Amino acid sequence: MKTVTLPSGEKVPALGQGTWNMGDTHATRAEEIAALQLGMDLGLTLIDTAEMYGEGKSEELVGEAIAGRRDEAFLVSKVYPHNASRKGAIVACERSLKRLGTDRLDLYLLHWRGTIPFSETMEAFAALQSAGKIRHYGVSNLDLNDMQELWKTSGGKGVKTNQLLHNLTRRGIELDLLPWMQERKIPVMAYSPVEQARLLKQRGLVDFAKRHGMTPAQAALAWLLARDDVIAIPKAGDRKHVQDNAGALEIRLSAGQLLELDKIFPPPTAPVPLAML
Ligand code: NAP
């Protein structure tokens, strides 16, 4: 399994699994659990969820999927900005732990920036860490100016990732935020890596994939995995999709193939404000 090194030195799988919308529908629940478990069998043991997803339904489903094999997983969850206060984040984390059926999260993220000052959230994260309820903490959807502000906050330099919208059609971070994070060795956790399946139908990507004997999803994920500081977290509630996505780990795009993709999906020519889904 290709890994990405966190600033703490710990290695995590470069390809994980997202879970937004999982657990929302009874009819697809069993397949979603089977898909997550197959993913774990294939080494995609980093699982991303959030208290927001289905208001706890996703965390419950993840808890069921990892039951009996908690130690194999690297569990990531996120706190709502309005819960990210000194006391609120602690209560929210405890609720998440209960739904997940575990005593600790491997990584706990501030889902996006709200009105509660970073200093309070960092204090809460530090308290959760001291209590052994979270191993690491990080952020999500923070643009360069937010990261610069966080960096000046006590505890801010302890973040282990910034989870961001990033894929072949969302390259805006490449000129400003990404280099800033690279200088500080903070990996990107790339969410919506196949643009919620829309990317997989784009003619340019479909043709590229056909030419090079891979599927569109594998091409999109292999493009992210080509860098050593990106963790991609595709969501797949269907086992065929999980198997397909895991195949991206076998692909190393050549410099020529990366150039071809740059022509189809041009990199930005000026900094672009961060987008979120
Ligand atoms: P995504 O992973 O880009 O796309 C998910 C969609 O693509 C699903 O409809 C899935 O279908 C389909 N899919 C996946 N692999 C496929 C394949 N090989 N072939 C065909 N279709 C495939 O979108 P996402 O769910 O928005 O993002 C991934 C994860 O990132 C989320 O689940 C969540 O954990 C996280 N996220 C975080 C934020 C944030 O604000 N921090 C925002 C968005 C997402 P099936 O389910 O039917 O397999």
Side-chain angles (χ1 to χ4, degrees), residues 138-211:
V139 290
S140 177
N141 296 304
L142 292 200
D143 209 345
L144 180 59
N145 54 337
D146 298 317
M147 286 302 283
Q148 285 168 332
E149 187 182 325
L150 178 68
W151 215 244
K152 292 187 203 130
T153 307
S154 175
K157 290 191 179 72
V159 293
K160 300 294 184 283
T161 192
N162 185 7
Q163 187 179 112
L164 301 168
L165 175 59
H166 188 44
N167 63 48
L168 277 164
T169 59
R170 305 282 193 165
R171 301 187 58 171
I173 63 171
E174 288 180 32
L175 286 184
D176 52 358
L177 180 55
L178 188 59
W180 188 93
M181 287 170 55
Q182 281 168 335
E183 272 168 38
R184 289 155 187 82
K185 306 217 177 315
I186 306 169
V188 177
M189 197 174 283
Y191 75 69
S192 307
V194 298
E195 189 68 13
Q196 300 186 330
R198 294 182 290 275
L199 177 54
L200 308 179
K201 294 194 181 72
Q202 288 215 1
R203 167 67 45 208
L205 185 68
V206 171
D207 290 346
F208 172 90
K210 205 175 278 171
R211 256 195 323 278

Side-chain angles (χ1 to χ4, degrees), residues 237-277:
D238 176 321
R239 276 174 287 182
K240 288 192 295 299
H241 293 162
V242 172
Q243 196 85 49
D244 183 19
N245 294 345
L249 290 163
E250 310 299 321
I251 298 167
R252 192 142 302 187
L253 295 177
S254 67
Q257 288 172 323
L258 290 169
L259 273 176
E260 269 185 64
L261 286 170
D262 280 344
K263 289 206 181 99
I264 307 167
F265 302 99
T269 51
V272 180
L274 183 65
M276 69 182 275
L277 284 181

